[in-house]
Amino acid sequence: MKQYVVTRPLYSEDAFADVHEKIHRHHKTVRHHFLLFCDLKRAKNAALSLLPFIGWMRIYQLKEWLLSDIVSGVSTGLVAVLQGLAYSLLASLPPWYGLFTAFFPVIVYFFLGTSRHISVGAFPVLSLMVGAVVTRLVPDEGPPVNITGFEGLTSDEQRVMVAASVTFLMGIMQLAMGLLQVGFIVMYLSDTLVSGFTTAAAVHILVSQLKFVLGLVVPGLSGPLSIVYTLEKIFVQIEKTNVCDLVTSILIMVVVFIVKEINDRYKAKLPVPIPIEVIMTVIACGVSYAFNFRVNYKVDVVGRIPVGYESPMAPNMQIFGQTAVEAFPMAIVGFAVAFSVAKVYSVKHDYIIDGNQELIAFGASNIIGAAFKSFAASTALSRSAVQESTGGKTQIAGLLSALIVMVVTLAIGFLLEPLPKSVLGAVVIVNLKGMLMQIREVPYLWRRDRPDCVVWLVTCLASILLGLDLGLAVGLGMELLTVVFRAQFPRCSVLANITGTDIYKDRKDYMSIYEPEGVKIFRIPSPIFFANIDFFRGKLVEVGFNPLRVLRKRNKALRTIRKLLKKGELSGPIEESEDESNMEELDQPTDFKDLPVQVNWNSELPANIQVPRVDVHSLILDFSAVSFLDISALKGLKAALKELIRVEVEVYIVACDVYIQKKLHSCMFFDDEVKSSMFFLTLHDAMLHILEKHPGFYRNVNFEVFYM
């Protein structure tokens, strides 16, 4: 086994500062930051960062990458057409508006996005959230909400206005967050929370597609318990199920599921995944047209798909006010999902993505897309997987997929008119497998991390029952609550020396340990702030004793001894006075100035005076995991230290962060009792200092000490 030997002085923080001179850092002023920003080179780099495509276009390897991008773009474009039509149904919009979502945001992201592999467009969870807003303002049954601008519009046109306006507002929020450099906000959405949320969204999507699979007329509902009411309306009319729709859907789901499993199992051997959704859609279109499903079997089909693009539309300001609460979680969820997928591919292919630039890219994509009547865009996991697995190298593949969508929109969209909506519903349901299978994480989380498991369950159940927007808020609240709970009630520990080393571990975890007599080492594993300072003080009491109680007992004993000395009655068995008047005096340091002798509190006292025995003479507080102290914690810590010092317990603080020490100095933490000399560089330094100071306690020491 390799070993190392270090010979150095024993350092307190003060001693180390005396020997080793620190570099004085000059903090940059606002003026300095402004001058740096105005620097020509930095301004040029900042401008280039807003157009990341310039960076990868410079290194584009035409011969090696172009063919892969073409194959990937065509494959992704075909999937994007199908998913655009399908996810429009989730948004409660006519199917062809999904083609707009698969085109305009992709073009904008090509110029502004930093990921080279994600496929931008409709995402089922976002589509469902848009659909909830749309059906709330323009319900299937009953009049729409009274909004200026709805006059003279059909129900579909009103819904398009709502979807475009909420998407525009969502884009503004994303763009603002990107410009303000607050991309870190997505870090508050943990993987556990996102998993529970997307699983709940998959359940909502599944229920929303049942009406197409069964061929039933069920009005779209939104709000708390909407999923329960939707299921009720479905089961009430279950006998009206269209058998042709049901058989078609089951057949599509079975075939697509089997082929997708083959794609997954043999993906290493297949040059490209089999585009089974596209194949089955083409077959379904042909069969529906040949047998005239719409007339002969009353099957609901996609119907007329207008040729070309519609004129731009300004968002409705009144809708902004009605949908602001829903738009914010949509902005966060859309970015969080896209960023997490982009991060996976950036690690896999070794390039860097910028969270703030991604916010700007998606914000601009949604703003421009909404102006052309597309709805909320993010990225779909399955579509991005197609773009990456078919060999896509850059967003050239995304640009080509947009061109495929444009061809369908401008020229061959009419071929999709006989497509049964039940086929689209079946395709959506099959693609939910990945999200629904996330429920398998629950047993693992329960065994490994129960607070995380609670976050998952609460987020999932709340999102299912209350709706996705409220469910996300509840899940985020629960997640923050668990963070507060972990910080407020951390697992403190008492450390001991591993025999023959300078290593200190939890004394409960190891057998070969050395715990010096009269010394306690208390490890604090979290920041100390207003919410947990009382918890730490309580834990300190559990480690040894209550110093304030001991101090008061000692001062009461001294008061009694003085009275007895004055009366000359010190020899008899006199009871200790229970008078607790003037408690502030009892909390002061013990004063022996008018006594003829020093009192040894651990020996037997005269007149049967009882004072709790203190077996600890030194307490070491390990601050290596303490990242900050707030003012409340600072006051509480100082009070605790004074209580210990006043009962003759030496306190040492080790491995304290330099910025915490600066704060302690700036807040006038030190005085005649609490001194900076109690701070030591390492735990072992403090232990050796105690050993030197109390040699009589350590006759059988298990490590050697060399003093310099």
Side-chain angles (χ1 to χ4, degrees):
M1 183 180 295
K2 294 181 179 179
Q3 296 183 344
Y4 73 92
V5 177
V6 176
T7 303
R8 66 168 177 82
L10 191 157
Y11 283 127
S12 67
E13 289 284 358
D14 290 345
F16 187 81
D18 291 339
V19 175
H20 299 276
E21 184 179 358
K22 292 182 67 174
I23 297 174
H24 180 68
R25 299 184 187 182
H26 296 279
H27 295 286
K28 295 177 182 177
T29 63
V30 175
R31 179 176 176 272
H32 184 75
H33 282 290
F34 180 75
L35 291 175
L36 279 176
F37 181 77
C38 294
D39 179 73
L40 184 62
K41 185 176 181 180
R42 290 177 65 89
K44 180 182 177 181
N45 291 336
L48 288 176
S49 70
L50 291 174
L51 296 171
F53 83 101
I54 296 175
W56 56 259
M57 284 291 284
R58 288 174 173 174
I59 61 170
Y60 194 83
Q61 301 174 25
L62 193 65
K63 294 182 179 179
E64 290 81 2
W65 291 1
L66 184 59
L67 181 60
S68 298
D69 277 340
I70 292 174
V71 173
S72 175
V74 173
S75 303
T76 307
L78 295 174
V79 176
V81 169
L82 180 59
Q83 291 189 349
L85 296 172
Y87 296 157
S88 291
L89 303 181
L90 293 175
S92 300
L93 298 174
W96 63 85
Y97 287 98
L99 299 179
F100 300 168
T101 306
F103 179 74
F104 292 106
V106 177
I107 300 297
V108 177
Y109 187 86
F110 172 85
F111 295 101
L112 299 179
T114 58
S115 174
R116 304 176 195 171
H117 292 88
I118 64 171
S119 174
V120 177
F123 175 54
V125 176
L126 272 186
S127 302
L128 192 67
M129 296 176 80
V130 171
V133 176
V134 167
T135 53
R136 179 173 65 82
L137 298 184
V138 188
D140 288 328
E141 297 176 347
V145 174
N146 186 20
I147 291 177
T148 304
F150 275 2
E151 300 85 358
L153 300 180
T154 65
S155 177
D156 282 346
E157 289 171 340
Q158 291 173 348
R159 291 188 165 198
V160 170
M161 178 180 285
V162 172
S165 297
V166 73
T167 300
F168 197 97
L169 181 57
M170 165 187 164
I172 290 175
M173 291 177 176
Q174 290 178 327
L175 183 61
M177 288 190 288
L179 293 175
L180 294 173
Q181 303 286 293
V182 292
F184 65 85
I185 196 171
V186 73
M187 301 306 173
Y188 289 99
L189 301 180
S190 67
D191 292 343
T192 304
L193 184 143
V194 171
S195 175
F197 177 77
T198 52
T199 303
V203 175
H204 277 281
I205 294 168
L206 175 63
V207 172
S208 71
Q209 296 306 292
L210 288 178
K211 63 181 180 182
F212 298 113
V213 170
L214 300 175
L216 301 176
V217 178
V218 178
L221 301 173
S222 61
L225 299 179
S226 59
I227 191 170
V228 177
Y229 299 135
T230 301
L231 287 171
E232 179 191 15
K233 290 182 179 295
I234 289 173
F235 285 114
V236 164
Q237 50 178 325
I238 194 72
E239 73 278 358
K240 298 179 183 178
T241 298
N242 187 308
V243 177
C244 183
D245 272 325
L246 181 60
V247 171
T248 302
S249 300
I250 292 174
L251 183 62
I252 293 289
M253 284 190 283
V254 169
V255 173
V256 171
F257 178 81
I258 292 174
V259 176
K260 275 183 168 289
E261 289 297 309
I262 293 173
N263 283 339
D264 287 340
R265 182 166 296 184
Y266 298 103
K267 60 184 176 182
K269 298 180 179 180
L270 292 171
V272 295
I274 302 171
I276 187 60
E277 295 105 325
V278 177
I279 294 171
M280 295 305 295
T281 299
V282 172
I283 294 173
C285 277
V287 173
S288 174
Y289 178 78
F291 292 95
N292 201 358
F293 277 10
R294 185 176 67 84
V295 175
N296 295 334
Y297 301 102
K298 310 300 180 189
V299 170
D300 190 15
V301 298
V302 169
R304 186 184 70 88
I305 297 180
V307 176
Y309 294 99
E310 300 183 13
S311 57
M313 176 187 67
N316 186 296
M317 296 296 113
Q318 196 173 347
I319 294 176
F320 280 7
Q322 295 275 356
T323 61
V325 175
E326 290 99 334
F328 183 71
M330 287 167 56
I332 296 298
V333 170
F335 170 65
V337 172
F339 185 72
S340 61
V341 176
K343 192 161 57 174
V344 170
Y345 290 129
S346 70
V347 171
K348 181 177 179 180
H349 295 279
D350 192 24
Y351 62 89
I352 298 172
I353 58 171
D354 182 349
N356 292 310
Q357 181 61 29
E358 286 294 290
L359 271 171
I360 293 172
F362 277 104
S365 298
N366 281 307
I367 289 172
I368 295 174
F372 289 92
K373 301 183 180 179
S374 71
F375 55 89
S378 178
T379 183
L381 280 67
S382 57
R383 196 170 59 247
S384 295
V386 169
Q387 181 165 319
E388 192 269 342
S389 63
T390 51
K393 303 296 183 183
T394 65
Q395 282 299 331
I396 294 281
L399 191 64
L400 291 173
S401 73
L403 293 178
I404 296 295
V405 174
M406 185 179 69
V407 169
V408 173
T409 305
L410 297 178
I412 61 174
F414 68 92
L415 295 176
L416 296 172
E417 291 179 1
L419 179 65
K421 289 185 178 179
S422 57
V423 173
L424 296 177
V427 170
V428 171
I429 290 174
V430 170
N431 280 300
L432 295 177
K433 179 200 168 189
M435 288 194 287
L436 289 172
M437 293 305 289
Q438 291 176 134
I439 199 170
R440 293 183 298 183
E441 295 178 12
V442 174
Y444 172 82
L445 289 172
W446 183 254
R447 291 192 301 269
R448 297 291 187 269
D449 195 325
R450 292 191 178 181
D452 262 3
C453 185
V454 171
V455 170
W456 196 102
L457 292 171
V458 169
T459 304
C460 185
L461 292 175
S463 299
I464 290 173
L465 296 176
L466 302 179
L468 295 181
D469 48 355
L470 290 177
L472 181 63
V474 170
L476 187 57
M478 176 57 66
E479 182 178 54
L480 295 177
L481 192 63
T482 60
V483 172
V484 171
F485 183 81
R486 292 176 199 250
Q488 189 169 352
F489 305 106
R491 183 184 176 276
C492 300
S493 55
V494 177
L495 307 183
N497 175 254
I498 301 297
T499 305
T501 73
D502 61 351
I503 299 169
Y504 296 81
K505 294 289 185 180
D506 191 332
R507 65 180 181 181
K508 296 179 181 178
D509 295 337
Y510 294 88
M511 296 180 65
S512 180
I513 61 170
Y514 171 67
E515 195 168 11
E517 181 184 349
V519 179
K520 295 292 183 183
I521 308 170
F522 184 69
R523 184 174 187 273
I524 302 169
S526 80
I528 308 177
F529 57 105
F530 65 93
N532 64 12
I533 182 62
D534 290 334
F535 172 79
F536 284 127
R537 294 184 68 176
K539 285 293 181 182
L540 277 174
V541 171
E542 292 178 17
V543 168
F545 56 93
N546 187 331
L548 186 58
R549 177 173 173 268
V550 172
L551 179 61
R552 288 174 176 172
K553 285 283 187 181
R554 288 185 179 183
N555 279 324
K556 285 166 65 177
L558 282 176
R559 184 186 296 175
T560 303
I561 291 172
R562 286 190 178 95
K563 289 180 180 179
L564 295 176
L565 284 171
K566 286 181 180 179
K567 296 178 181 180
E569 300 174 353
L570 195 57
S571 58
I574 299 175
E575 293 184 2
E576 182 184 345
S577 170
E578 294 296 328
D579 178 23
E580 296 190 2
S581 60
N582 196 1
M583 291 297 291
E584 291 184 5
E585 182 181 329
L586 295 179
D587 293 347
Q588 296 305 310
T590 51
D591 183 7
F592 301 99
K593 64 182 180 182
D594 57 349
L595 292 179
V597 293
Q598 185 87 5
V599 178
N600 182 355
W601 295 112
N602 285 335
S603 63
E604 186 176 346
L605 299 177
N608 288 337
I609 296 174
Q610 298 295 322
V611 175
R613 182 183 176 88
V614 177
D615 295 323
V616 177
H617 61 75
S618 300
L619 175 66
I620 303 176
L621 301 180
D622 182 359
F623 267 39
S624 58
V626 178
S627 56
F628 72 86
L629 282 169
D630 68 2
I631 296 298
S632 299
L634 189 146
K635 292 178 180 177
L637 177 63
K638 186 170 184 178
L641 295 181
K642 284 194 171 187
E643 290 169 5
L644 289 162
I645 292 168
R646 288 172 181 177
V647 294
E648 301 169 6
V649 174
E650 299 166 5
V651 184
Y652 302 93
I653 297 177
V654 302
C656 183
D657 185 87
V658 63
Y659 294 105
I660 293 180
Q661 293 182 55
K662 285 183 179 179
K663 184 172 185 178
L664 295 178
H665 281 284
S666 65
C667 293
M668 309 300 289
F669 182 79
F670 302 107
D671 55 24
D672 292 337
E673 291 181 277
V674 181
K675 300 178 181 179
S676 61
S677 58
M678 68 169 54
F679 284 79
F680 277 75
L681 207 60
T682 69
L683 208 164
H684 201 56
D685 282 305
M687 182 62 76
L688 296 179
H689 172 78
I690 295 169
L691 174 63
E692 181 183 15
K693 195 170 184 180
H694 301 272
F697 282 89
Y698 308 102
R699 295 186 178 88
N700 298 314
V701 179
N702 295 303
F703 44 78
E704 296 183 1
V705 188
F706 298 92
Y707 298 110
M708 297 183 64

